[in-house]
Amino acid sequence: MSAQQADEEPAGAAPPPLLRLLSAFFYGTCSFLIVLVNKTVLTTYRFPSPMVLGIGQMATTILILYVSKFNKIIHFPDFDKSIPMKLFPLPLLYVGNHISGLTSTSKLSLPMFTVLRKFTIPLTLLLEIIILGKRYSMGIIVSVFAIILGAFIAAGSDLSFTLEGYTFVLLNDIFTAANGVYTKQKMDPKELGTYGVLFYNAYFMVIPTMILSFSTGDLQQVTDFKHWTNFLFLFQFLLSCFLGFLLTYSAVLCSHYNSALTTSVVGAFKNISIAYIGMLVGGDYIFSILNFIGLNICMAGGLRYSFLTLRDHKKPKQPTDEENVS
């Protein structure tokens, strides 16, 4: 997949199936890896500030894209006064998604984080109906209800419940769903394109986030952190920053070549792996029968939902269907 390919798709042409598949696989892989790395950094090493880790990821995104633009590897428009209005509200959703996701990862066990993240699917479905005018079959709606039911059963018997963790992960669901839908709406290749959306989202929010982290005392805690001389921690911190860029890029790319809903479906498949692996990784999952039953109901609903969504994508479309228009 070439560096400029995402910005050069004809406005009226459906993306090739291979690009849709590769972009979805790329997003799923990045999403899987970053959850495990972030969990290690924030829980195993007890890194004190998810916000500062998010700043590192934003700074890495800005640096990589600026250097690539400077060396003419990629292209996106130079800054002008119209760009903030073209992007709004994406920068706010971007930083909200970033910080709430990292904070909830540090506060919850991976299985419960995974289950509660599935609320992204019904939220995305609702927003696509309202904002993009899409319609979905009764089978998909029933699957979504199964996801919600399983999540409520699991949450009701969560022995490691924390109000802060639940609040942040539900905020993360809202930000993720809104970010995916608005990215699809805003990402016009003739204007900002894939790389412009990525760069200016991080560019507009990195300084305000740094000011916020200073005012909350997070920067001081990070300065006093004891593991900066630990090579393994430093490697995983830098890997998290790089994966933060790759995840954001792959999510935008997946939404560009597919739909925001497909991006959520790929995330759901990744979450199934994370949920069961997370029972063994992190050391903060407390097993109970009812919680485990809720987890499995939620996962089954997610699998059924993913099957129905992918099946619907394979059906012949009418010429007026704009679901997969770039």
Side-chain angles (χ1 to χ4, degrees):
M1 194 180 302
S2 67
Q4 305 241 24
Q5 207 162 355
D7 288 337
E8 292 176 352
E9 287 293 322
L18 181 61
L19 286 181
R20 292 174 59 187
L21 178 64
L22 288 176
S23 64
F25 178 77
F26 182 40
Y27 168 66
T29 302
C30 293
S31 186
F32 176 83
L33 290 175
I34 197 170
V35 171
L36 295 181
V37 174
N38 284 343
K39 186 65 177 175
T40 302
V41 170
L42 293 168
T43 302
T44 305
Y45 288 102
R46 299 188 182 279
F47 187 71
S49 176
M51 194 183 305
V52 173
L53 182 58
I55 291 170
Q57 293 176 354
M58 283 186 271
T60 303
T61 297
I62 293 169
L63 179 64
I64 291 174
L65 291 178
Y66 181 80
V67 170
S68 299
K69 175 180 168 66
F70 183 80
N71 288 289
K72 303 187 185 305
I73 298 172
I74 63 172
H75 171 75
F76 55 87
D78 294 328
F79 178 78
D80 63 60
K81 293 179 181 179
S82 67
I83 286 179
M85 291 304 298
K86 288 177 183 176
L87 266 185
F88 184 83
L90 273 183
L92 296 176
L93 298 174
Y94 168 81
V95 75
N97 189 28
H98 234 66
I99 304 305
S100 61
L102 289 169
T103 304
S104 56
T105 300
S106 69
K107 301 292 182 184
L108 294 170
S109 67
L110 284 178
M112 285 312 302
F113 172 77
T114 299
V115 165
L116 294 172
R117 285 285 290 133
K118 281 191 172 294
F119 277 106
T120 301
I121 292 178
L123 287 171
T124 300
L125 185 142
L126 181 63
L127 287 174
E128 287 201 336
I129 290 172
I130 295 171
I131 296 172
L132 302 181
K134 294 187 178 180
R135 293 293 178 267
Y136 294 101
S137 67
M138 182 56 66
I140 285 180
I141 293 172
V142 170
S143 300
V144 167
F145 275 110
I147 291 170
I148 295 172
L149 174 64
F152 272 112
I153 293 173
S157 55
D158 182 13
L159 300 179
S160 57
F161 172 84
T162 65
L163 180 60
E164 186 180 10
Y166 272 57
T167 301
F168 274 106
V169 76
L170 292 175
L171 283 173
N172 188 222
D173 291 339
I174 295 169
F175 284 125
T176 300
N179 190 63
V181 173
Y182 275 105
T183 294
K184 188 73 174 177
Q185 186 184 57
K186 298 282 184 179
M187 198 167 57
D188 185 349
K190 294 180 180 178
E191 293 186 355
L192 295 180
T194 306
Y195 305 108
V197 169
L198 281 174
F199 180 82
Y200 288 112
N201 273 343
Y203 178 78
F204 288 140
M205 297 311 300
V206 67
I207 299 298
T209 309
M210 287 181 69
I211 293 171
L212 181 61
S213 67
F214 178 78
S215 65
T216 57
D218 280 34
L219 279 179
Q220 184 60 45
Q221 293 181 52
V222 168
T223 303
D224 298 335
F225 186 59
K226 63 182 181 181
H227 286 300
W228 285 119
T229 55
N230 184 325
F231 173 77
L232 283 177
F233 164 76
L234 196 59
F235 171 76
Q236 290 180 80
F237 181 87
L238 294 175
L239 179 61
S240 174
C241 291
F242 182 63
L243 284 172
F245 160 73
L246 283 185
L247 177 63
T248 309
Y249 171 67
S250 63
V252 171
L253 203 65
C254 189
S255 289
H256 175 71
Y257 283 125
N258 299 281
S259 70
L261 189 60
T262 302
T263 305
S264 291
V265 171
V266 174
F269 275 110
K270 175 267 303 182
N271 286 338
I272 291 171
S273 303
I274 289 290
Y276 294 109
I277 292 173
M279 293 179 186
L280 307 173
V281 175
D284 50 2
Y285 174 68
I286 302 174
F287 178 83
S288 76
I289 293 295
L290 200 57
N291 178 267
F292 187 71
I293 290 172
L295 275 168
N296 283 281
I297 292 173
C298 190
M299 296 302 161
L303 278 175
R304 175 65 177 167
Y305 167 81
S306 301
F307 168 76
L308 291 173
T309 305
L310 293 175
R311 187 190 66 180
D312 288 348
H313 271 299
K314 292 178 180 178
K315 288 181 179 178
K317 304 209 182 268
Q318 298 299 322
T320 55
D321 188 349
E322 296 181 0
E323 179 178 353
N324 292 314
V325 174
S326 299

